[in-house]
Amino acid sequence: MKILEIKNLTKNFTGLEVIKDISLTVNEGQVTAIIGPSGSGKSTLLRCATLLETIDSGELIYLGEHAVTTGADGRAVYAPSSALRRIQNYFGLVFQNFNLFPHFSVIKNITDALITVQKKSKEEALAIGRELLTKMGLEDKENAYPYQLSGGQQQRVSIARALALKPKILFFDEPTSALDPELTGEILKVIRQLAAEKMTMVIVTHEMSFARDVADHIIFMSDGVIVEEGPPEIVINHPRHERTKAFLSRFL
């Protein structure tokens, strides 16, 4: 089943085209890793897909529902706000800088949207939050505040918060880039576990070995376009394009 379809997406910033006619599909249970140099458009593509940035033209489809279509004038047309609110429930996003509420405890960061958006009872929300904290190895941090946690612990809370809403697809925008190297491993371990559970994910990452080991599908972007895509065995181990080879030579 197709969870996400992006068709001919373009995005401009003050006349500079940063996403150039990109199309991709993410199927249920698939882990897609997006790699490429800084400034290639990876994070912008994720922000467009999660409705944090408006696109200029193209289509954005979740589970067969159009969030964005292209009008007769070639410009993007967004679905009504009621439809967009429903579609937003299909995905979760884990930011590179955690984006936790500093004045909320760990458990409140996880349960707040469950109570205020999904209208779950406090008891049900707490049960979900505590189960996820146990899964993240943070069951003893329920009443802590973000400033009392390491970067790796904060990122695990962010992942738990995203999972609490039971999204159909989970996006990660360079989830380890704000972490010290010794904390990176604990986040990659969590993502590996989610991949083993067949969670549908799209991960923007600079961790090439991790992308090769975990992803089903690799997309290499450069200058706002998809240069090469396919299984890790091809894109990472035997890239066809010289641009891909030059990029990977710095990592592998």
Side-chain angles (χ1 to χ4, degrees):
M1 179 173 65
K2 295 177 181 178
I3 301 293
L4 169 65
E5 297 173 81
I6 294 174
K7 299 181 179 180
N8 308 112
L9 188 151
T10 66
K11 171 65 180 176
N12 292 272
F13 286 117
T14 60
L16 176 65
E17 194 172 34
V18 294
I19 302 291
K20 306 170 184 177
D21 195 31
I22 280 184
S23 299
L24 63 89
T25 299
V26 180
N27 295 312
E28 185 176 18
Q30 178 179 314
V31 179
T32 299
I34 303 178
I35 63 173
S38 297
S40 60
K42 307 184 300 298
S43 292
T44 299
L45 178 62
L46 235 62
R47 290 179 63 83
C48 289
T50 54
L51 305 176
L52 293 175
E53 294 282 359
T54 56
I55 70 176
D56 293 302
S57 64
E59 296 180 64
L60 181 61
I61 308 165
Y62 281 95
L63 295 168
E65 293 189 54
H66 276 81
V68 185
T69 58
T70 299
D73 61 355
R75 305 293 294 174
V77 178
Y78 279 76
S81 57
S82 58
L84 290 179
R85 283 194 296 270
R86 182 178 63 253
I87 289 170
Q88 284 175 319
N89 290 322
Y90 295 152
F91 60 80
L93 174 60
V94 177
F95 298 90
Q96 55 184 293
N97 292 315
F98 323 136
N99 280 30
L100 297 174
F101 295 110
H103 58 295
F104 283 2
S105 66
V106 164
I107 194 67
K108 186 172 174 63
N109 263 287
I110 297 171
T111 59
D112 187 63
L114 289 172
I115 296 168
T116 60
V117 178
Q118 294 193 347
K119 307 302 180 184
K120 296 187 184 298
S121 69
K122 183 177 179 180
E123 293 72 22
E124 185 180 3
L126 284 172
I128 293 169
R130 286 166 177 158
E131 180 181 356
L132 285 166
L133 283 177
T134 298
K135 183 174 183 175
M136 296 294 151
L138 295 171
E139 57 270 28
D140 60 336
K141 301 297 184 182
E142 175 179 328
N143 296 312
Y145 284 81
Y147 77 90
Q148 297 172 308
L149 306 179
S150 69
Q153 290 170 333
Q154 290 186 62
Q155 192 62 294
R156 279 182 280 162
V157 174
S158 297
I159 295 171
R161 179 178 61 181
L163 289 172
L165 299 173
K166 292 183 166 43
K168 297 295 185 183
I169 181 172
L170 192 54
F171 294 91
F172 291 86
D173 186 8
E174 299 189 20
T176 61
S177 66
L179 301 178
D180 294 332
E182 62 267 26
L183 299 177
T184 295
E186 64 188 63
I187 300 306
L188 299 184
K189 180 180 178 182
V190 169
I191 299 175
R192 288 178 193 274
Q193 180 183 350
L194 294 174
E197 296 169 1
K198 298 301 181 182
M199 180 76 201
T200 309
M201 294 183 283
V202 176
I203 307 166
V204 170
T205 183
H206 285 297
E207 301 286 340
M208 296 303 118
S209 297
F210 169 74
R212 178 179 57 194
D213 295 343
V214 172
D216 306 300
H217 192 76
I218 303 282
I219 291 173
F220 172 66
M221 286 182 63
S222 182
D223 299 319
V225 301
I226 294 176
V227 176
E228 185 167 0
E229 63 179 310
E233 171 63 23
I234 298 298
V235 178
I236 300 289
N237 293 344
H238 301 97
R240 300 185 182 96
H241 292 263
E242 290 303 320
R243 184 70 185 86
T244 316
K245 293 176 183 177
F247 173 76
L248 291 172
S249 67
R250 293 179 288 164
F251 293 93
L252 302 174

